[in-house]
Amino acid sequence: MPKIRLYAVGRRHWVVALAVLAGLCALAGAAHADHPREVRMGVYQNEPKIFLNDQQQPSGIFGELALQMAQHHDWTLVPVPCEWKACLDALQDGSIDLMPDVAFTPERATLFDFHATPALLSWSQIYARPDTPIRSALDLKNRRIAVLQGSVQQDYLRNLMAGFGVQAELVPAESLQAAFQMASRGEVDAAVANRFYGDLQAPRFKLVSTPVLFQPSQLFFATGKGRNPDLIATIESNLKSWQSDDDSHYFEVLKRWMEAPPQFLVPQVVWWALGSLGGFLVLVLGAWWFLRREVAEKTRSLRASEDRLNTILNSVDAFIYIKDASLRYQYANRKVCELFGAIPEEVVGHTDADYFDAATVAKLRVNDLRVVQQGERVEEEETNRSADGGPEHTYLSIKLPLHRPDGSIYALCGISTDITKQKQAERAIHQLAFYDPLTHLPNRRLLMERLHQAMAVLQRSHTCGALLFIDVDNFKDLNDTLGHSVGDLLLTEIAARLSACTRAQDTLARQGGDEFVAMVQDLGTSLSDAVVHAQHLAEKILRKLSEPYLLDGHAYQTSVSIGVAMFGGPDSNQDELLKQADLAMYQAKADGRNTVRFFNPQMQAQVTARTALETDLHRALEARQFLLYYQPQVDEQGQTVGVEALVRWQHPVRGLVSPAEFIPVAESSGLILALGEWILETACKQLVRWAAHESTAGLSIAVNLSARQFRQSDLVAQVQAILQATGAKPERLELELTESQLIDDLGGVIQKMDALKALGVRISLDDFGTGYSSLNVLKRLPLDQLKIDQSFVHDLLLDHSSASIVRAIVTLGDSLHLQVIAEGVETTEQRDALVALGCTHFQGYLFGRPAPAP
């Protein structure tokens, strides 16, 4: 038999020595070949799994299994002692033939050959002194932990702590014994060992096990890659045979070495005595029972941990999966399996091509290769479609590389969340925020953004653009006659026709109501050419929109007014451009139906003047620059029975300003409310002054109410307060309304007029005959007076129709017991003609021009 070479570290154990001697004797007795096979086996000190006994022979679980196989197969087992790292290097370079206690990893599978059936199941555990509280991986924070240098445990523990966000110092140790010695002396807080060594040696070093377990592993015999396939086959055959028989040598070895070692040395003769008395058999049976129970308990624990992990991963509302370097699925949680319509066993080993269409597979492959080949962390939105052509789904995916201890990548882990509904909600919110819900055209907000961008681009490119404001004429009439649903149909049809008139790069928007805006870009560098293009487009729109419509069975034809403002110069301003297009559109409406008008400086001058006038109006109210003039109203005998109050503005620079000039501005700006209140209060004060004189005590004052005044919810209370504050007699105050104020909410109008009448105030209908009042409406109104419009008086002697209208108004007034007064009487002939038609009250220049109160 060749000489046996041994390198080993560790303590002696007399039990192992006996077993080894017995094994060697049996092996020698069974030898029958002249030249038995020599098997060089590396041995490192990792009791009770593998170590050299006092006779420098392999011992421990793996040692005894190797000796048994050597005896059975006529091998000469040559132990080669070495440190763990040196053992693996020797196995790789062929210095040794066999290495026990090797945990399988994908990396090692490329360097060594392994049999299929594990020789032993193990895991790593952390051991510490009893006064060092370590209850979970979180308690490892900032601690010093001894770990076997170059071991797989070192990398697994580092990854474990990284997963928990814990930082600790890993102190390398040359051997497990050295690691336990450092922990026992307090040089480190804890030490890492496999559970066999740890449970056996921890009492000796006064250490205890902690709940921190990791790196469950299968342990094998290993040979150099491709060097000893017969050894691997023989070991596999023996292990399968032994593990299928509960009474085999395999379980006897496990039972013997799973027990804790005694703390004292016993002479060999004692063991022989015990063996002779049958104690050995009892010990074997006890160890076997203990091992089976321990293995079952640990198996249940591992399965429970795996079940808990699967429960967590399957309850998460996310798609979690692992793919290997070939992009084949190695794990898929419940969500992934539901997506694929398969069970986990059917998913494993398949690729994305089995579940997605070709375009999706290509996109997924690009991102996956970035992870497994370049080690990138990929976080992107991915839109996927199933292989059967189902609807697209959008996922937020995070893909991470999984590393071996040497840093190489062996797989990727992906976590994907279905954000399809979120993206749909975002699109819906974007649609609501930037698009009109009826026509689906951009709304004003989006128009403003695009206009801002377009103006910046055109200024850089020195090209021109145009902004077209398009207003539908008489749209309110359509809504009032056929209903809003028909009005919506018209707007939708107009939007479609406008889209057909504009280009894809143009922006067509609905600004609100019946107004549309077209923003046209890239009309060339010449302003004159751009104007021609804009004119052609506007005329095209006029023609298209003037064609007949069929709306819910109703034939309808409409017209539009278009205002155009050009832009693109260096001085273009967005707000000014919008005002210019709006002004041009209103000018088009003023000029008639189906009209296009371009903005010009004269329009701007009018706007500027109007703005200045509005500013002066504010100052005039504060400075009390307004005056009340009074025009007499007379009866048939020419006696003054009352006056109409007419406001005048005494401007400090411009002099007396005509009401025709400032009243419309006051109306549109809202200043008419404050001005109207001042007029009413001033007129009531004048009534009080006149009441103090017998000659004027019987006079009444007529005050015009604007439409905005009359719509005030507190008008009645305002009038009552002024009457009470001034002490004016209500029956001497006459409020004049126009027919246009009666159109909207007739019931509310009548209610407000009744409330005013209840105060004692008289009510007159001004400019009668020019509005839309019907006899049915007129008879319901609590009126006191009808006022014939001056246009009929002016044409009374020239137009037979005007005379007939005046006669009809007088007759109507008599029938309704209303006083009738004619305004605008300028000649005696007009006055006489009115008398002949039955009119008894008059107002006009013939009887006096408006003047301040005397």
Side-chain angles (χ1 to χ4, degrees):
M1 180 178 298
K3 182 178 179 180
I4 298 175
R5 297 169 299 175
L6 299 173
Y7 304 93
V9 293
R11 66 185 186 83
R12 299 178 179 178
H13 200 294
W14 60 271
V15 176
V16 178
L18 288 177
V20 172
L21 287 174
L24 290 174
C25 291
L27 183 64
H32 57 82
D34 294 335
H35 302 287
R37 174 168 183 176
E38 180 185 275
V39 177
R40 296 165 297 168
M41 185 176 77
V43 180
Y44 77 113
Q45 209 70 4
N46 190 359
E47 188 177 5
K49 292 191 292 180
I50 183 68
F51 63 100
L52 287 179
N53 61 16
D54 292 343
Q55 287 74 38
Q56 298 299 299
Q57 289 298 311
S59 189
I61 297 173
F62 279 93
E64 290 196 17
L65 293 178
L67 288 171
Q68 180 66 20
M69 285 186 281
Q71 177 184 355
H72 185 71
H73 296 285
D74 194 23
W75 298 343
T76 298
L77 193 64
V78 180
V80 179
C82 48
E83 294 295 344
W84 169 249
K85 183 72 167 59
C87 287
L88 291 182
D89 292 340
L91 183 65
Q92 185 176 353
D93 63 24
S95 301
I96 61 177
D97 304 307
L98 188 66
M99 182 66 197
D101 191 25
V102 181
F104 178 86
T105 66
E107 177 191 11
R108 286 174 177 170
T110 64
L111 304 174
F112 310 121
D113 287 334
F114 295 83
H115 45 88
T117 302
L120 201 59
L121 299 177
S122 180
W123 56 86
S124 298
Q125 195 163 1
I126 293 181
Y127 296 81
R129 296 184 305 281
D131 60 349
T132 304
I134 297 178
R135 293 176 294 275
S136 71
L138 298 176
D139 293 329
L140 300 179
K141 183 176 181 181
N142 298 327
R143 294 193 181 275
R144 303 180 78 243
I145 304 165
V147 61
L148 185 63
Q149 184 175 12
S151 65
V152 177
Q153 296 163 331
Q154 193 172 14
D155 295 309
Y156 268 93
L157 183 58
R158 185 177 292 109
N159 292 335
L160 173 67
M161 293 188 297
F164 283 93
V166 171
Q167 291 187 348
E169 181 183 359
L170 299 185
V171 179
E174 292 184 359
S175 65
L176 295 177
Q177 180 177 347
F180 272 40
Q181 287 173 344
M182 284 191 284
S184 178
R185 293 194 298 264
E187 298 173 5
V188 296
D189 299 301
V192 178
N194 63 80
R195 55 96 47 190
F196 295 100
Y197 182 90
D199 289 351
L200 184 67
Q201 299 294 343
R204 173 188 169 194
F205 293 94
K206 295 185 173 57
L207 302 179
V208 296
S209 62
T210 72
V212 183
L213 289 80
F214 61 98
Q215 192 202 348
S217 58
Q218 298 175 333
L219 303 178
F220 299 84
F221 289 91
T223 65
K225 193 68 175 178
R227 286 198 174 93
N228 293 287
D230 57 322
L231 286 181
I232 292 297
T234 300
I235 294 171
E236 171 66 13
S237 175
N238 279 270
L239 288 175
K240 289 185 66 174
S241 174
W242 289 343
Q243 291 181 10
S244 63
D245 181 7
D246 292 343
D247 296 323
S248 68
H249 177 74
Y250 175 84
F251 287 106
E252 291 178 3
V253 172
L254 290 184
K255 284 183 291 184
R256 184 160 57 254
W257 288 104
M258 287 295 288
E259 289 186 342
Q263 299 301 313
F264 56 88
L265 296 176
V266 179
Q268 295 181 6
V269 67
V270 175
W271 283 104
W272 288 110
L274 289 175
S276 63
L277 295 173
F280 182 73
L281 179 60
V282 174
L283 180 62
V284 169
L285 291 175
W288 172 81
W289 175 83
F290 174 78
L291 177 63
R292 291 297 296 268
R293 188 186 66 173
E294 187 76 3
V295 170
E297 179 62 30
K298 293 300 182 181
T299 302
R300 283 195 297 271
S301 177
L302 288 174
R303 285 178 179 171
S305 298
E306 183 179 354
D307 290 342
R308 285 194 295 271
L309 179 59
N310 281 329
T311 300
I312 294 172
L313 295 179
N314 287 331
S315 63
V316 173
D317 190 22
F319 302 84
I320 303 175
Y321 50 90
I322 295 175
K323 298 179 185 177
D324 62 17
S326 299
L327 306 185
R328 295 185 179 275
Y329 285 94
Q330 300 302 307
Y331 169 79
N333 74 341
R334 175 185 58 84
K335 291 283 289 183
V336 176
C337 293
E338 290 177 355
L339 176 66
F340 293 164
I343 61 175
E345 291 77 10
E346 295 172 346
V347 175
V348 172
H350 288 264
T351 66
D352 289 324
D354 297 313
Y355 304 109
F356 298 108
D357 66 358
T360 300
V361 171
K363 290 186 294 183
L364 293 175
R365 179 177 176 80
V366 170
N367 286 337
D368 290 351
L369 291 179
R370 289 170 57 190
V371 179
V372 299
Q373 292 183 355
Q374 303 174 30
E376 294 184 29
R377 171 194 170 103
V378 175
E379 183 173 346
E380 286 190 1
E381 288 184 7
E382 297 177 333
T383 301
N384 302 340
R385 187 187 297 276
S386 59
D388 60 4
E392 283 190 345
H393 283 260
T394 303
Y395 301 90
L396 178 60
S397 297
I398 302 175
K399 299 181 180 182
L400 307 169
L402 300 180
H403 296 273
R404 297 188 181 94
D406 64 356
S408 61
I409 299 169
Y410 67 89
L412 70 83
C413 177
I415 303 175
S416 300
T417 305
D418 191 342
I419 59 172
T420 304
K421 292 183 178 179
Q422 177 185 336
K423 301 300 289 185
Q424 290 172 347
E426 289 176 359
R427 286 192 291 269
I429 292 171
H430 183 271
Q431 186 73 18
L432 290 173
F434 293 101
Y435 289 87
D436 172 51
L438 176 63
T439 62
H440 305 297
L441 295 177
N443 60 13
R444 178 180 175 83
R445 181 178 180 182
L446 184 54
L447 172 67
M448 294 300 100
E449 287 189 9
R450 292 187 179 177
L451 179 59
H452 178 76
Q453 296 168 1
M455 293 183 71
V457 171
L458 295 185
Q459 285 180 7
R460 290 194 299 268
S461 62
H462 305 291
T463 55
C464 299
L467 196 66
L468 286 74
F469 271 32
I470 306 160
D471 184 84
V472 182
D473 297 329
N474 303 321
F475 179 71
K476 185 176 183 300
D477 294 344
L478 174 66
N479 271 343
D480 293 341
T481 55
L482 298 181
H484 289 277
S485 60
V486 177
D488 289 346
L489 289 176
L490 176 63
L491 293 175
T492 304
E493 182 62 26
I494 288 176
R497 295 188 185 187
L498 286 173
S499 298
C501 294
T502 54
R503 304 168 301 177
Q505 65 264 39
D506 301 331
T507 295
L508 178 64
R510 183 188 176 201
Q511 192 164 227
D514 58 353
E515 287 189 5
F516 295 85
V517 178
M519 182 187 71
V520 188
Q521 306 178 64
D522 300 327
L523 297 181
T525 56
S526 168
L527 179 60
S528 58
D529 291 343
V531 169
V532 172
H533 285 300
Q535 178 73 30
H536 288 167
L537 175 60
E539 291 172 351
K540 179 181 180 182
I541 291 174
L542 288 179
R543 290 193 302 270
K544 193 71 175 176
L545 299 188
S546 63
E547 295 176 0
Y549 299 83
L550 185 62
L551 308 173
D552 196 22
H554 300 278
Y556 187 77
Q557 198 157 7
T558 189
S559 61
V560 295
S561 301
I562 302 177
V564 185
M566 307 301 296
F567 67 95
D571 300 326
S572 294
N573 178 279
Q574 181 171 314
D575 293 336
E576 287 299 320
L577 181 65
L578 294 169
K579 292 177 183 178
Q580 292 171 2
D582 197 44
L583 281 171
M585 185 266 291
Y586 278 106
Q587 184 62 51
K589 290 185 76 70
D591 291 347
R593 297 159 58 94
N594 266 357
T595 306
V596 179
R597 288 291 178 267
F598 282 74
F599 174 81
N600 58 59
Q602 287 74 21
M603 293 181 187
Q604 187 63 53
Q606 293 173 4
V607 173
T608 303
R610 183 185 180 91
T611 303
L613 187 63
E614 184 177 330
T615 303
D616 287 349
L617 274 174
H618 280 280
R619 295 175 184 157
L621 280 170
E622 297 172 359
R624 297 185 176 275
Q625 296 174 0
F626 293 101
L627 305 172
L628 275 191
Y629 277 32
Y630 301 94
Q631 187 174 30
Q633 298 174 336
V634 302
D635 59 14
E636 193 173 4
Q637 287 74 37
Q639 295 296 317
T640 300
V641 293
V643 296
E644 181 180 2
L646 302 170
V647 68
R648 297 292 185 268
W649 180 12
Q650 186 64 49
H651 194 281
V653 177
R654 301 171 60 185
L656 206 60
V657 182
S658 168
E661 187 175 349
F662 69 82
I663 288 297
V665 177
E667 283 272 8
S668 63
S669 64
L671 293 173
I672 194 67
L673 300 179
L675 180 59
E677 185 177 0
W678 177 85
I679 293 172
L680 191 60
E681 183 180 357
T682 303
C684 287
K685 289 178 180 178
Q686 187 61 52
L687 282 174
V688 173
R689 284 193 292 270
W690 280 344
H693 301 280
E694 183 179 354
S695 60
T696 56
L699 295 180
S700 63
I701 297 181
V703 177
N704 288 282
L705 288 182
S706 71
R708 293 189 71 159
Q709 276 183 284
F710 192 75
R711 285 196 294 269
Q712 290 182 101
S713 59
D714 62 343
L715 173 66
V716 176
Q718 186 184 107
V719 172
Q720 184 179 18
I722 291 175
L723 288 171
Q724 291 175 350
T726 59
K729 293 181 179 181
E731 63 271 17
R732 296 300 176 190
L733 178 63
E734 188 174 279
L735 300 179
E736 293 188 358
L737 310 176
T738 60
E739 290 181 84
S740 62
Q741 293 169 244
L742 310 177
I743 296 176
D744 297 324
D745 189 20
L746 181 61
V749 169
I750 294 174
Q751 185 179 5
K752 190 172 290 186
M753 291 174 68
D754 285 337
L756 291 170
K757 289 282 290 181
L759 298 177
V761 174
R762 289 166 51 85
I763 299 178
S764 173
L765 190 58
D766 196 12
D767 301 333
F768 184 72
T770 61
Y772 305 98
S773 298
S774 67
L775 296 180
N776 182 50
V777 171
L778 194 62
K779 72 177 184 179
R780 297 171 58 190
L781 300 176
L783 295 171
D784 297 286
Q785 184 187 73
L786 296 178
K787 203 167 188 181
I788 301 173
D789 186 68
Q790 61 182 344
S791 62
F792 301 120
V793 175
H794 181 270
D795 296 336
L796 182 63
L797 303 176
L798 305 174
D799 182 8
H800 178 71
S801 298
S802 294
S804 299
I805 292 173
V806 170
R807 182 183 294 108
I809 294 173
V810 172
T811 303
L812 179 63
D814 290 342
S815 301
L816 297 176
H817 306 291
L818 302 176
Q819 184 185 87
V820 178
I821 182 172
E823 64 176 347
V825 182
E826 298 180 353
T827 66
T828 303
E829 290 79 8
Q830 291 173 340
R831 184 251 183 203
D832 293 342
L834 288 167
V835 171
L837 292 173
C839 185
T840 58
H841 289 78
F842 316 96
Q843 177 184 342
Y845 285 176
L846 178 63
F847 310 103
R849 292 177 176 271

